[in-house]
Amino acid sequence: MGRTTRDGSYYKKIIIGRRTIKDGECCGIWKLNGKQKLVSGPRLIWVYFSRINFLTNFFADQNQYLVVVKNDGSVDHIRGPTSLFLNPLEHQSIKVANAIRLGSGESLVIIKVIDNINIERRIVLGPTLLFLEPNETEMVFSWHGLDPKKKDDIRYQPNKNKFSKLSTGKQQMYYNVENVRTSDNAIITLKLLIGFQLKKTELMLEKTEDPIREFIASIQRDVIEYFSSLTFEDFLSKTERFNTISSYPSLIKTAKSIGFIINGVVYRGYEASKTVQLTHDSSLHQRSLLREELDNKKQNLEIEYRLMENKLENLNRQHESQTQQIKHSLKLNEQSHLADLSRKKLEIEMRLDSVEANYNAELEFVNQLFKRKINVTDALCSNFQSRDCNVRVVGNDSYGFGNFLLDD
């Protein structure tokens, strides 16, 4: 008796003998009359003129189920955890199948056959663990996709992407719009990244069998229509427009009609033919030289401008300094002039006081003469005869006054 559990591959003819049926094993003993007797272990049996065939035991855990095809053609799904021996009298086959695990943002379309005629369709949303019924199958989609053998070739081919789980989250696809002709007959390839999301699964199932095919046709229509009015130089100056969703109206409309939304389109660059690229490179080189020359001229002009600003600033400072000096000189002259006026005024006032004093003295002298009844004329004449003097009149000075001088 071996240590391993025997399965359906064990088949023996026994004339007479005994067999030990271990715990966990089951065998069918076929008599000469063609009848079968099932024996489950643990048990020790004697066998006479019989054939013994052990049965294979199939196991399914909590994430699996057994697909049992019976000899009458019916199918049963037995959910795990469970086990079942394949009995040739009852079962055509037994297969262990995994339950379908749906994550968050995933969905599955289930096709259910009713009465072998009618078909019912339902959509299962994740997260969940799905066990299919015997009359249910998951719908398989076949969309345009990239060839997995050509990783660097972004060319979509029909029926390259086959799957059953639909993603309801945000998705993206790389796509190159090839052979786009501008108005000046330049042929380029536009590289794009398209972000999309499935919102209405029922609408998608009704309207299209391949949404990627619809997206490709729409994006080609938008790009070709837009490029028909652009030259190659215009395209290079307006590449930022290819990053805006509003530049793809046909794509947005098509996506909405089949249950999708477009989250964004990213411009990834372009490829051009060698002739166009050489022409563009030459143009770039010329523009670079012109830009460098313009920058040099601009720099020289800025230097000249700064020098002129410095010169003007120096002139302004000199003018301000001279203005301050003139103001200071005028102020000093004014103060000197006022001082001269004050001095001369003081001198005149002193002279006037002296004249007034002399006049008052002479008047007092005359009054004394009158009081003493002395002849004034004789007295004055005798007074002037006693001293000789000359009277000189000096012309007007700068202030308009005349000077009287008595010279002894």
Side-chain angles (χ1 to χ4, degrees), residues 235-342:
F235 157 69
L236 294 178
S237 63
K238 298 179 180 179
T239 53
E240 70 279 355
R241 290 198 57 183
F242 295 101
N243 286 318
T244 59
I245 299 180
S246 58
S247 300
Y248 308 93
S250 179
L251 176 63
I252 296 174
K253 182 179 179 181
T254 300
K256 185 177 181 181
S257 66
I258 59 176
F260 285 81
I261 62 170
I262 302 299
N263 297 319
V265 179
V266 178
Y267 169 69
R268 301 187 297 113
Y270 75 96
E271 289 182 358
S273 62
K274 292 183 178 179
T275 303
V276 174
Q277 193 63 43
L278 288 175
T279 303
H280 175 58
D281 292 341
S282 176
S283 176
L284 283 178
H285 181 65
Q286 293 178 0
R287 283 201 298 267
S288 177
L289 293 177
L290 291 174
R291 189 179 297 110
E292 184 178 357
E293 182 180 356
L294 180 61
D295 290 340
N296 292 332
K297 290 182 178 180
K298 184 178 179 181
Q299 186 176 5
N300 292 333
L301 288 175
E302 287 180 353
I303 293 174
E304 292 180 4
Y305 177 74
R306 289 176 182 174
L307 291 175
M308 293 296 295
E309 277 189 337
N310 293 333
K311 186 180 293 185
L312 181 60
E313 187 177 354
N314 291 332
L315 289 175
N316 288 333
R317 283 200 297 267
Q318 291 177 3
H319 176 69
E320 185 177 357
S321 176
Q322 291 175 358
T323 302
Q324 293 294 332
Q325 290 177 1
I326 293 172
K327 287 182 178 180
H328 182 66
S329 178
L330 289 175
K331 187 174 181 180
L332 292 177
N333 291 336
E334 182 181 2
Q335 291 176 354
S336 177
H337 183 64
L338 291 176
D340 290 342
L341 287 178
S342 298

Side-chain angles (χ1 to χ4, degrees), residues 137-395:
T137 57
E138 53 184 311
M139 185 174 181
V140 178
F141 299 93
S142 181
W143 292 359
H144 272 64
L146 300 175
D147 190 346
K149 298 179 181 179
K150 301 178 181 178
K151 296 181 179 180
D152 298 332
D153 186 11
I154 306 180
R155 295 182 182 179
Y156 284 81
Q157 300 177 14
N159 303 320
K160 284 294 182 180
N161 185 18
K162 295 184 179 182
F163 61 97
S164 58
K165 294 180 182 179
L166 288 171
S167 175
T168 57
K170 293 182 179 181
Q171 304 178 68
Q172 62 184 21
M173 59 176 284
Y174 292 90
Y175 184 66
N176 295 343
V177 186
E178 299 179 341
N179 300 324
V180 181
R181 185 182 297 272
T182 61
S183 60
D184 54 352
N185 293 326
I187 305 299
I188 64 174
T189 297
L190 194 68
K191 298 180 179 181
L192 301 174
L193 174 62
I194 305 170
F196 59 93
Q197 186 176 6
L198 176 61
K199 287 294 186 180
K200 299 178 180 179
T201 306
E202 283 286 356
L203 182 61
M204 185 270 292
L205 295 174
E206 293 175 2
K207 295 297 183 179
T208 182
E209 295 179 353
D210 189 350
I212 304 301
R213 179 187 60 197
E214 307 292 340
F215 291 161
I216 291 174
S218 300
I219 199 71
Q220 287 180 341
R221 185 161 53 249
D222 286 329
V223 170
I224 292 174
E225 181 178 353
Y226 182 71
F227 266 83
S228 62
S229 60
L230 292 180
T231 64
F232 184 69
E233 295 295 330
D234 292 336
F235 157 69
L236 294 178
S237 63
K238 298 179 180 179
T239 53
E240 70 279 355
R241 290 198 57 183
F242 295 101
N243 286 318
T244 59
I245 299 180
S246 58
S247 300
Y248 308 93
S250 179
L251 176 63
I252 296 174
K253 182 179 179 181
T254 300
K256 185 177 181 181
S257 66
I258 59 176
F260 285 81
I261 62 170
I262 302 299
N263 297 319
V265 179
V266 178
Y267 169 69
R268 301 187 297 113
Y270 75 96
E271 289 182 358
S273 62
K274 292 183 178 179
T275 303
V276 174
Q277 193 63 43
L278 288 175
T279 303
H280 175 58
D281 292 341
S282 176
S283 176
L284 283 178
H285 181 65
Q286 293 178 0
R287 283 201 298 267
S288 177
L289 293 177
L290 291 174
R291 189 179 297 110
E292 184 178 357
E293 182 180 356
L294 180 61
D295 290 340
N296 292 332
K297 290 182 178 180
K298 184 178 179 181
Q299 186 176 5
N300 292 333
L301 288 175
E302 287 180 353
I303 293 174
E304 292 180 4
Y305 177 74
R306 289 176 182 174
L307 291 175
M308 293 296 295
E309 277 189 337
N310 293 333
K311 186 180 293 185
L312 181 60
E313 187 177 354
N314 291 332
L315 289 175
N316 288 333
R317 283 200 297 267
Q318 291 177 3
H319 176 69
E320 185 177 357
S321 176
Q322 291 175 358
T323 302
Q324 293 294 332
Q325 290 177 1
I326 293 172
K327 287 182 178 180
H328 182 66
S329 178
L330 289 175
K331 187 174 181 180
L332 292 177
N333 291 336
E334 182 181 2
Q335 291 176 354
S336 177
H337 183 64
L338 291 176
D340 290 342
L341 287 178
S342 298
R343 180 177 53 78
K344 290 184 177 183
K345 180 181 178 182
L346 182 59
E347 289 177 357
I348 292 171
E349 288 178 351
M350 291 175 66
R351 289 180 181 181
L352 288 177
D353 291 341
S354 177
V355 170
E356 184 179 2
N358 292 335
Y359 174 77
N360 290 333
E362 291 180 358
L363 182 61
E364 180 66 25
F365 176 72
V366 172
N367 287 334
Q368 292 295 329
L369 292 176
F370 273 110
K371 287 181 181 181
R372 295 178 183 180
K373 296 180 181 182
I374 300 173
N375 191 332
V376 176
T377 301
D378 295 337
L380 291 175
C381 288
S382 62
N383 186 27
F384 280 104
Q385 288 177 356
S386 61
R387 59 190 183 96
D388 296 329
C389 66
N390 295 323
V391 178
R392 292 186 296 114
V393 180
V394 182

Side-chain angles (χ1 to χ4, degrees), residues 51-65:
R51 294 180 177 88
I52 184 169
N53 184 21
F54 280 82
L55 307 182
T56 302
N57 195 10
F58 291 86
F59 300 90
D61 61 21
Q62 66 273 13
N63 297 323
Q64 297 174 324
Y65 60 95

Side-chain angles (χ1 to χ4, degrees), residues 8-208:
S9 60
Y10 185 93
Y11 180 81
K12 297 289 184 180
K13 292 182 180 179
I14 301 175
I15 297 177
I16 184 170
R18 63 179 183 180
R19 289 291 184 275
T20 299
I21 312 300
K22 294 180 290 186
D23 191 10
E25 291 182 334
C26 182
C27 66
I29 300 175
W30 297 87
K31 301 293 185 180
L32 291 177
N33 57 7
K35 292 184 178 181
Q36 183 198 48
K37 177 182 178 183
L38 291 178
V39 180
S40 298
R43 190 172 176 184
L44 176 63
I45 58 173
W46 285 91
V47 182
Y48 306 95
F49 303 101
S50 302
R51 294 180 177 88
I52 184 169
N53 184 21
F54 280 82
L55 307 182
T56 302
N57 195 10
F58 291 86
F59 300 90
D61 61 21
Q62 66 273 13
N63 297 323
Q64 297 174 324
Y65 60 95
L66 298 178
V67 180
V68 181
V69 180
K70 296 183 178 180
N71 289 335
D72 59 1
S74 62
V75 180
D76 284 339
H77 287 186
I78 304 175
R79 184 171 177 175
T82 187
S83 63
L84 182 66
F85 287 99
L86 175 60
N87 186 358
L89 293 181
E90 298 180 2
H91 310 132
Q92 184 68 29
S93 65
I94 298 177
K95 184 176 66 174
V96 180
N98 293 321
I100 302 173
R101 187 181 299 275
L102 294 178
S104 179
E106 292 182 332
S107 62
L108 196 68
V109 180
I110 302 300
I111 304 299
K112 186 175 183 179
V113 180
I114 302 175
D115 300 331
N116 295 325
I117 298 176
N118 299 320
I119 296 177
E120 183 181 275
R121 185 175 63 195
R122 66 187 178 97
I123 300 173
V124 180
L125 301 177
T128 187
L129 187 64
L130 178 64
F131 294 87
L132 295 177
E133 298 295 330
N135 56 347
E136 291 181 340
T137 57
E138 53 184 311
M139 185 174 181
V140 178
F141 299 93
S142 181
W143 292 359
H144 272 64
L146 300 175
D147 190 346
K149 298 179 181 179
K150 301 178 181 178
K151 296 181 179 180
D152 298 332
D153 186 11
I154 306 180
R155 295 182 182 179
Y156 284 81
Q157 300 177 14
N159 303 320
K160 284 294 182 180
N161 185 18
K162 295 184 179 182
F163 61 97
S164 58
K165 294 180 182 179
L166 288 171
S167 175
T168 57
K170 293 182 179 181
Q171 304 178 68
Q172 62 184 21
M173 59 176 284
Y174 292 90
Y175 184 66
N176 295 343
V177 186
E178 299 179 341
N179 300 324
V180 181
R181 185 182 297 272
T182 61
S183 60
D184 54 352
N185 293 326
I187 305 299
I188 64 174
T189 297
L190 194 68
K191 298 180 179 181
L192 301 174
L193 174 62
I194 305 170
F196 59 93
Q197 186 176 6
L198 176 61
K199 287 294 186 180
K200 299 178 180 179
T201 306
E202 283 286 356
L203 182 61
M204 185 270 292
L205 295 174
E206 293 175 2
K207 295 297 183 179
T208 182

